[in-house]
């Protein structure tokens, strides 16, 4: 149980994914030293400090992640480092004590998650990332909830990418296997046709062949001008396709560089990529 | 050790497990791979007594264990971990371990009122044992944290730790690796190997990370569409055309275009 | 218990003291006594919900069974009724039981034709049972129906009725648990609610058992009667020596005797519950509540444990039921309505803080206090509102006439306010 | 031997009343099931919400009757319904703002919300009695029968009569239409799907750009409409009395649960199951058998399985048996 | 106990709960009597009587006991008018009134079980015994020539007691009760009951219930389905609420209720109407009479001591002396002050028997043109 006195574990979903009432107390700060390579980035979570709940300990310490237009940025790091927390912070789901989030030059630190969706951000959380009682097709439709145009073709594209989903389009997503669910989750986010896509471990539990497909697709998506910020534990494959890589350790930036650069770094390989 | 005969598990008309037969040799670490939806987790769930089979038999050491409830299987030495960690979230990590051993006298109500002394003694021993396991898994520092609030990888280690609190015969691990940092994962691999060698546990491991499989597993079984597709050493499997087509694939197509 | 918890208990004590000082001591003690019984009931529910997450909405049924237990132990047997139809009735019950046992055995043995065989057996059994049962009941109920018309009890001291009431409730809970504990959340809830309705329906309609809706009056007491005290010169002298009015004194003394009895039971139960909770048993229960599937995989027989705690919790409710009938001095089956005996108990548990024994006890006493005191509070509220209005205004008289309905409205407001400021209960779990 | 009379007797005393009662339960259960499905708690205040809606409708009906407005042969109350719905919607949305929203934001456990709804129930309970009192209120007008027993006998010359009340007919038709509409709304429209998404995974719904406050608002609006319609139709058919609306809560919950919580079809199936089991199991078959069997076989006794004292008990027994075979209700409901 | 000037009387009825709609007229009846005494200014020592209300809830003995406890020990009530339902009445009497030595008169508790209550003679009730009404009703029905009836009763001690006594009396007189089916008050639907009743058949349907509760529900369903068109109405059903609701549909139905000769009842109903409540509601008359008896006893004895009052109540209720009808409380007090004797008849023809219960005389009624018409007395 978190420190929240109003909450009860039983029957509750992860209460930390969202912050429905919008914001807590935020002090907007302009860059603190990491500005050099993030200055013109499309999405920046700049010098973020904060944690869960109103009074929980800080998980992030002056942490910065950013991605340029049409590029892929990958966050790696040990379990519990705060990768997911950084993603949630960027999406406005927890109270930042310090730092700011900017999208395309605009400060969006004060926006609710829904408002960020409207601004063109898409997110696939690490867990609880599908509507289990709804059919696969309805899951995808919900991904396109804010779209007013016809999304039939996008859906076809998703089905082409993950053929198994086409077969199971009318099955409740909760009945799918672990890897199939993951495909639904990514499919849902793709339906949004966002400007920037945040993916928290999209390949966890998917088979090698699907993982390759997925990475391929991510590259294609990025090439259409959409920025991708993702957390990955299949770090070597991910860093290979990454334009930029961040290594987070204990809520702070430990290493930053190009994907190739990090892959080449002996220390990074050994401590975080499994040798 | 475990023999699965012609096992079927259908959901409505859908055959998730469709006549799978396999043998697990005692003392082995068997890898179970296969595309998403191949029926691996379903197979596990049927063996572990969570789902009743549609038809077929599971035999352990010559005894038919088909459809026995999980808690009875536990007492026969068959343990399992979950694909998604099933920790006891409101209890501390140490308590998560201490609750495992069977036959604790403190689980009998009568003793909680009139056998306090015996309980205290047992608890001391249990605590020592739990600390030992935590030490072994290099997570002593989280002993007193609530299990619900530790990170994903630590939960996975805790799952593994629970199997170490008793003398298991065979342990089923469902994707210990998904979401776990690779460096840590290979530490876990070493732990599994160690348990296998030192304590003689038999393991069956579902995993999508080929490197992990390669480090510890022999033999490897590949499932597809509810059936066993291929069986052999990892190298044999990797060379199998069907397995490549259904499961392994041939790598990234767009790789060369990155950064172009 | 925390500081905060102790503070709340002190506040409740203060409220009762205030009632004693400003209104009357007997009122305060009446509230306290029923509050103690309520506390025991909510302890029982807390055992089931707080420890194991079992959603039991059949409290009223178990409480009623407890009450039946007290009656069956303590009322004197009605010899005439026994000779009129007692033997045949027992025979009928044996036939019914035999049929059921036979049916179960049949179900287990046979594999072919088991449905038709079962139907035949049940039908034959049912008609044989009715053939013996109906005339027996008629004979029994014809014996002086306005005063007895039932078999009566064993004529033992009523204190024996308490464990017996608990036992009856436990027995029923065991049967319910065996069949329905596979259900979850609200589905279990409605099933238990149904069982309670069935129990109460039986109690209301089977007059031979405990007079049905005609009520059993005059259940004996474990403590002296006020009248006897008032008639005892020693007591009167004793009271006068202390400067008390013997009438008031006798009422207070009798109520204090009850309080002492109830308090002993309550404390014993709390001790047992706390000891269990703080041992591996409690750890096991929490584990099951956290994650049944994992507990099952760790070799714990979840079904058996659920059954155990369901039976225990229900037994505690039954005990409280027997105590209540003893305090009221009568069994009124029509009174076992879900609002009062199920949902109100749930309010007590949740407001007190589910999962915490002290919380449940606090909730029991506190909510009972309000349940009784909202009536004058509601009237007072109305008076305050209408104070400034013209004597003969229609609105004023309408408001004053509606004062009685302020009772539940005030209760609602109290509930909403308490839950607003401590949504997890006054003394939350850990 | 007279099958026709037997059939008519059975229709008149079992089928028609049970169908009408079942539809009434279903309408109530729909509201309960919707709140459970979307907002995820059992709303104990629903009976009193129905009472409130019916009360406003009655007050407006009286006003209309005074003014001489009428849509005979249909009851004037139908004309007053929109006002009742509007007032009830205002009440429940106000309640949501003042009470429920707080707990939603705190992500309180469902059981806390259940208890909170009991608080709301007490308050509404007082409110209704405060405004209209505790007594029976009559407000029905228009044609009472579609066909009355007497007319039927005259028409057909049969010995048994068959009566269909206007209110019963209205209830059945409304229930069918409402269930179909709700089913269509939840499964086919964008708003409906977004409501289901919200109920399934609130957080993810947020990430898809669904506005939770809107979902909650729409839910309460529908619930207010359902409660008012159900309450008014029930009042027309039986009578309006605040206390019975509270008592109605139990069979309504039973219907919603046995049908499968969160499922509109389940609500109607559950309603019929409860109604039919109450009416049919304790039915005395004497008359029907006397008509349909040769004279010499005519039954001596009542041919009644169990006395009516046990009708609730029996319906609960059936409910429990159903749940034992279908642990989440007939239509695979949700469970928190 | 002891001497007094101003006294308080507890008015303990079920303002909330399943019979909540019966409560206000009873309470207002009692308060009407109290107001009458106060207005006359003739109460002993020029004292003033204050009524205090308590809620006996009907189904919650615990809450009823606590309320009574409050009335007596906190508000200082010296006697109790109440409680309404037999269950609550028994609990309140044994747990509160008797230990405190307080006089309690219930206007409406009818359970025969209360007869056996150990009461130190402190408990009275003005409700007629259920056993008696069964016999009267048998005569009424037999006289109309009906031999086969169906019977439904409200499932509480009142309904059950009445149904039992009626059934045995009727069968002893050679009639047939085709079915005796209980119904629960306050429930939503009575189709099952009516289905069973209709199937069992019978010339008329005896409805031993309450006019604004299940009794009305059963009649409604029976009329709607054409199962019965003539009903026999015992006390709980004979109210204008019933005829208001069903009007001429009830024509031909008949019944009886305990009541004084027409004048007293009628004049009481007029008094009630002037005071703004329905005096024909069940037990509203007994409410008035209970309070009146309590006050007259206080006036006559100048005491509030339960035992003293209780003895006096016997005398006042059963005479001999001048007959006192509603609205004549002032006169009664004058007679008593002057050392005379009265025989309190009141609105409900009070006459106590055996263990302190009303004997009750019954008025026979028929429904004609949607109105209750009195046709005789038994
Ligand atoms: N709901 C929560 N409440 C309180 N603390 C939390 C919560 N979720 C995570 N934490 C803490 O925040 C820290 C960072 O967690 P986070 O989930 O961001 O890690 P991560 O880097 O994504 O790890 P993983 O690779 O295992 O997913 C951890 O120490 C964890 O204990
Ligand atoms: N409850 C269910 N109802 C219907 N179909 C189901 C159900 N559970 C699983 N399935 C189907 O059974 C198939 C096998 O699922 P399973 O979880 O065993 O796959 P898996 O091999 O473990 O895959 P992964 O590697 O993705 O975890 C999947 O296609 C899934 O859709
Ligand atoms: C008020 C009355 C309806 C009470 C009923 N006669 C009883 O004794 O319970
Ligand atoms: Mg993470
Ligand atoms: Mg799997």
């Amino acid at each position: 149980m978190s420190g929240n006195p109003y909450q009860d574990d039983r029957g509750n979903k992860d209460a930390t994914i969202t912050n429905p009432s919008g914001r807590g107390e935020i002090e907007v700060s302009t860059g603190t030293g990491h500005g050099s390579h993030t200055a013109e980035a499309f999405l920046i979570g700049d010098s973020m400090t904060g944690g869960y709940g109103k009074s929980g300990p800080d998980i992030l310490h002056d942490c910065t992640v950013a991605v340029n237009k049409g590029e892929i940025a990958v966050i790696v790091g040990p379990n519990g480092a705060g990768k997911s927390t950084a993603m949630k912070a960027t999406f406005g789901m927890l109270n930042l004590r310090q730092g700011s989030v900017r999208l395309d030059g605009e400060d969006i630190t004060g926006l609710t998650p829904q408002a960020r969706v409207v601004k063109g951000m898409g997110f696939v959380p690490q867990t609880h990332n599908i509507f289990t009682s709804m059919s696969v097709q309805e899951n995808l439709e919900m991904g396109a909830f804010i779209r007013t145009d016809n999304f039939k073709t996008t859906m076809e594209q998703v089905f082409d990418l993950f053929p198994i989903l086409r077969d199971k389009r009318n099955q409740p997503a909760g009945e799918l296997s672990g890897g199939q669910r993951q495909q639904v989750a990514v499919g849902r986010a793709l339906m949004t046709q966002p400007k920037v896509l945040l993916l928290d471990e999209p390949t966890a539990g998917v088979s090698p062949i699907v993982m390759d497909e997925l990475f391929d697709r991510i590259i294609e998506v990025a090439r259409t001008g959409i920025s991708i910020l993702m957390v990955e534990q299949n770090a070597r494959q991910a860093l290979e396709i990454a334009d930029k890589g961040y290594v987070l350790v204990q809520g702070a930036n430990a290493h930053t560089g190009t994907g190739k650069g990090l892959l080449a770094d002996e220390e990074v390989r050994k401590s975080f990529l499994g040798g | 050790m475990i023999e699965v005969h012609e096992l079927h598990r259908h959901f409505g008309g859908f055959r998730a497990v469709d006549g799978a037969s396999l043998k697990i040799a005692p003392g082995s670490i068997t890898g179970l791979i296969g595309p998403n939806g191949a029926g691996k987790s379903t197979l596990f769930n049927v063996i572990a007594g969570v789902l009743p089979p549609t038809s077929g038999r599971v035999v352990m050491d010559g005894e038919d264990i088909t459809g026995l409830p999980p808690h009875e299987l536990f007492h026969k030495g068959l343990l399992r971990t979950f694909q998604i960690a099933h920790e006891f979230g409101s209890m501390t990590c140490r308590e998560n371990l201490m609750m495992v051993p069977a036959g604790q006298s403190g689980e009998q109500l009568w003793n909680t009122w009139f056998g306090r002394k015996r309980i205290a003694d047992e608890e001391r021993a249990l605590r020592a044992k739990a600390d030992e396991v935590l030490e072994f898994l290099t997570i002593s520092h989280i002993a007193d944290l609530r299990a619900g609030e530790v990170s994903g990888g630590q939960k996975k280690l805790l799952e593994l730790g629970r199997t170490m609190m008793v003398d298991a015969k065979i342990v089923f691990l469902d994707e210990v690796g998904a979401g776990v940092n690779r460096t840590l994962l290979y530490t876990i691999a070493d732990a599994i190997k160690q348990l296998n060698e030192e304590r003689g546990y038999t393991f069956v491991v579902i995993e999508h990370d080929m490197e992990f499989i390669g480090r510890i597993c022999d033999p490897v079984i590949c499932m597809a569409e509810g059936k066993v597709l291929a069986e052999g050493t990892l190298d044999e499997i990797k060379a199998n055309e069907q397995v490549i087509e259904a499961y392994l694939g041939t790598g990234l197509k767009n790789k060369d275009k990155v950064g172009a | 218990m925390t500081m905060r918890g102790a503070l709340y208990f002190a506040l409740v004590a203060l409220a009762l003291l205030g009632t004693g000082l400003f209104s009357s001591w007997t009122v305060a003690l009446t509230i306290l006594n029923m509050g103690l019984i309520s506390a025991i009931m909510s302890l029982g529910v807390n055992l089931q919900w707080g420890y194991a997450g079992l959603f039991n909405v059949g409290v009223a049924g178990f409480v009623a069974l407890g009450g039946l237990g007290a009656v069956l132990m303590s009322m004197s047997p009605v010899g005439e009724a026994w000779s009129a139809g007692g033997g045949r009735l027992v025979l009928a019950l044996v036939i019914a039981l035999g049929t059921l046992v036979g049916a179960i055995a049949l179900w287990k043995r046979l594999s072919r034709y088991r449905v038709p065989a079962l139907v035949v057996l049940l039908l034959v059994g049912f008609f044989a049972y009715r053939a013996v049962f109906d005339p027996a009941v008629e004979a029994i109920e014809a014996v002086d129906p306005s005063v007895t018309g039932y078999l009566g009890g064993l004529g033992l001291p009523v204190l024996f009725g308490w464990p017996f009431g608990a036992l009856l409730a436990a027995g029923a809970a065991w049967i319910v648990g065996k069949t329905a504990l596979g259900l979850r959340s609200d589905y279990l809830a409605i099933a238990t609610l149904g069982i309670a309705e069935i129990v109460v329906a039986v109690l209301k309609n089977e007059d031979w058992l405990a007079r049905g809706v005609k009520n059993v009056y005059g259940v004996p007491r474990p403590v002296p009667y006020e009248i006897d005290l008032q008639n005892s010169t020693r007591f009167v002298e004793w009271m006068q020596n202390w400067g008390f009015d013997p009438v008031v004194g006798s009422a207070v003394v009798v109520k204090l005797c009850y309080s002492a009895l109830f308090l002993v039971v309550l404390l014993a139960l709390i001790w047992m519950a706390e000891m269990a909770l703080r041992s591996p048993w409690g750890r096991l229960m929490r584990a099951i509540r956290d994650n049944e599937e994992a507990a099952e995989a760790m070799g714990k027989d979840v079904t058996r444990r659920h059954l155990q705690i369901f039976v225990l919790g229900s037994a505690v409710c039954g005990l409280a039921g027997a105590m209540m009938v003893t305090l009221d001095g009568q069994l009124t089956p029509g009174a076992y309505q879900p609002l009062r005996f199920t949902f109100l108990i749930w309010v007590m548990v949740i407001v007190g803080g589910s999962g915490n024994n002290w919380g449940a006890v606090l909730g029991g006493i506190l909510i009972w206090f309000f349940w009784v005191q909202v009536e004058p509070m509601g009237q007072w509220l109305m008076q305050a509102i209408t104070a400034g209005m013209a004597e003969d205004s229609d609105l004023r008289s309408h408001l004053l006439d509606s004062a009685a309905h302020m009772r539940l409205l005030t209760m609602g407001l109290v509930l909403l306010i308490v839950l607003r400021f401590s949504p997890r209960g006054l003394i939350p779990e850990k | 031997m007279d099958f026709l009379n037997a059939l008519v007797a059975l229709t008149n005393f079992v089928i028609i009343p049970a169908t009408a009662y079942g539809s009434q339960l279903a309408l109530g259960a729909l509201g309960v099931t919707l709140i459970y499905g979307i907002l995820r708690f059992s709303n104990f205040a629903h009976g009193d919400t129905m009472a409130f809606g019916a009360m406003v409708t009655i007050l407006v009906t009286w006003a209309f009757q005074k003014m001489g407005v009428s849509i005979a042969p249909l009851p004037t109350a139908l004309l007053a319904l929109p006002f009742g719905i509007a007032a009830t919607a205002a009440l429940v949305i106000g309640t949501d703002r003042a009470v429920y929203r707080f707990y939603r934001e705190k992500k309180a456990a469902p059981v806390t919300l259940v208890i909170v709804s009991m608080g709301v129930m007490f308050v509404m309970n007082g409110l209704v009695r405060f405004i209209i009192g505790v007594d029976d209120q009559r407000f029905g007008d228009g044609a009472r029968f579609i066909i009355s027993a007497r007319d039927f006998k005259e028409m057909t010359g049969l010995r048994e009569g068959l009566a269909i009340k206007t209110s019963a007919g209205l209830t059945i038709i409304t229930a069918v239409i409402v269930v179909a509409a709700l089913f269509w709304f939840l499964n086919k429209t964008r708003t409906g799907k977004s409501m289901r998404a919200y109920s399934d995974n609130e957080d993810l719904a947020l990430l898809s750009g669904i506005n939770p406050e809107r979902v909650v608002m729409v839910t309460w609006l529908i619930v207010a409409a359902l409660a008012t319609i159900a309450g008014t139709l029930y009042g027309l058919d039986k009578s309006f009395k605040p206390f019975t609306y509270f008592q109605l809560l139990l069979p309504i919950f039973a219907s919603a649960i046995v049908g499968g919580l969160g499922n509109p079809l389940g609500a109607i199936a559950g309603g019929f199951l409860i109604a039919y089991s109450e009416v049919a199991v304790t039915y005395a078959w004497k008359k029907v058998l006397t008509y349909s069997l040769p004279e010499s076989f005519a039954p001596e006794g009542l041919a009644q399985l169990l006395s009516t004292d046990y009708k609730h008990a029996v319906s609960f027994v059936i409910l429990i048996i159903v749940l034992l075979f279908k642990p989440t209700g007939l239509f695979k409901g949700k469970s928190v | 106990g002891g001497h007094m000037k101003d006294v308080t009387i507890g008015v303990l009825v079920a303002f909330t709960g399943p019979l909540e709609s019966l409560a206000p007229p009873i309470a207002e009846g009692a308060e009407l009597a109290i107001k009458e005494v106060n207005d006359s200014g003739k109460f002993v020592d020029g004292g003033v009587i204050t009524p205090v209300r308590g809620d006996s809830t009907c189904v919650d003995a615990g809450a009823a006991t606590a309320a009574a406890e409050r009335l007596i020990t906190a508000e200082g009530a010296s006697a109790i008018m109440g409680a309404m339902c037999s269950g609550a009445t028994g609990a309140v009497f044994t747990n509160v009134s008797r230990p405190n030595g307080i006089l309690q008169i219930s206007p409406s508790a009818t359970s025969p079980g209360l007869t056996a209550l150990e009461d130190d003679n402190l408990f009275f009730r003005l409700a007629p015994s259920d056993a008696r009404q069964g016999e009267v009703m048998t005569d009424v029905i037999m006289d109309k020539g009906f031999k086969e009836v169906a019977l439904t009763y409200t499932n509480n001690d009142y309904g059950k007691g009445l149904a039992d006594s009626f059934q045995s009396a009727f069968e002893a007189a050679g009639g047939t009760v085709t079915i005796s089916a209980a119904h629960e008050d306050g429930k939503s639907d009575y189709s099952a009951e009516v289905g069973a009743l209709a199937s069992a058949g019978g010339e008329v349907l005896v409805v031993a219930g309450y006019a604004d509760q299940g009794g009305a529900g059963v009649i409604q369903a029976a009329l709607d389905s054409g199962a019965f068109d003539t009903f026999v109405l015992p006390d709980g059903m004979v109210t204008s609420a019933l005829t208001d609701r069903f009007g001429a549909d009830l024509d031909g139905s008949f019944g009886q209720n305990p009541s004084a000769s027409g004048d007293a009842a009628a004049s009481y109903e007029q008094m009630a109407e002037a005071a703004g409540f329905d005096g024909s509601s069940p037990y509203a008359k007994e409410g008035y009479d209970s309070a009146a008896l309590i006050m007259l006893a206080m006036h006559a004895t100048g005491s509030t001591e339960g035992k003293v009052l209780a003895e006096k109540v016997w005398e006042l209720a059963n005479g001999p002396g001048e007959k006192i009808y509603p609205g004549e409380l002032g006169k009664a007090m004058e007679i008593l002050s002057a050392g005379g004797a009265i025989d309190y008849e009141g609105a409900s023809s009070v006459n106590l028997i055996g263990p302190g219960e009303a004997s009750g005389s019954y008025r026979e009624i028929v429904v004609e043109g949607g109105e209750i018409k009195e046709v005789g007395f038994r």
Side-chain angles (χ1 to χ4, degrees), chain E residues 153-199:
Chain E
Y153 60 93
T154 170
N155 202 12
N156 65 16
D157 42 2
Y158 159 68
K160 176 83 178 175
L162 181 54
D164 281 355
S165 74
F166 167 72
Q167 183 164 4
S168 55
F170 194 67
E171 280 168 358
T176 314
V177 174
T178 57
I179 183 175
S180 168
H183 63 258
E184 298 283 340
D185 282 329
K187 287 293 194 238
S188 28
D189 183 86
Y190 296 101
S191 324
E193 286 81 357
V194 171
L197 291 167
S199 180

Side-chain angles (χ1 to χ4, degrees), chain C residues 163-236:
Chain C
F164 184 61
L167 208 65
L168 274 186
W174 187 82
I175 296 172
V176 177
K178 270 288 178 195
T179 42
L181 274 185
L183 300 175
R184 281 295 155 262
S185 65
D186 296 62
Y187 301 92
L188 176 64
I190 203 78
T192 50
L193 182 76
I195 307 278
E197 291 283 305
I198 293 167
V199 167
V200 175
V202 169
L203 226 52
K204 278 169 96 167
N205 295 310
E206 300 304 317
D207 291 11
W208 57 270
L209 183 62
R211 288 178 40 83
V213 291
K214 292 182 292 181
N215 306 343
V216 177
Y217 296 100
V219 177
R221 282 182 174 185
V223 300
Y225 285 86
E226 290 89 344
I227 297 297
D228 297 339
L229 288 181
Q230 286 162 24
N231 291 340
S232 128
T233 36
R234 264 189 56 204
F235 179 82
V236 173

Side-chain angles (χ1 to χ4, degrees), chain D residues 195-251:
Chain D
M195 286 164 70
R196 280 170 55 223
Y198 172 85
S199 104
D200 184 310
N201 187 337
E202 203 182 319
D203 305 317
L204 196 58
L206 217 61
L207 295 184
S208 307
I210 294 167
N211 181 352
E213 285 308 310
R214 204 180 100 89
V215 168
V216 172
M217 176 99 121
V218 174
T219 308
W220 282 117
L221 273 177
I222 299 177
V223 166
L226 281 172
T228 310
I229 294 174
T232 305
L233 286 175
Y234 178 78
L236 277 177
D237 194 48
K238 306 277 161 51
S239 71
F240 175 85
K241 187 169 193 197
F243 186 77
T244 32
Y245 282 77
F246 167 71
Q247 293 284 79
L248 207 50
L249 200 61
L250 285 191

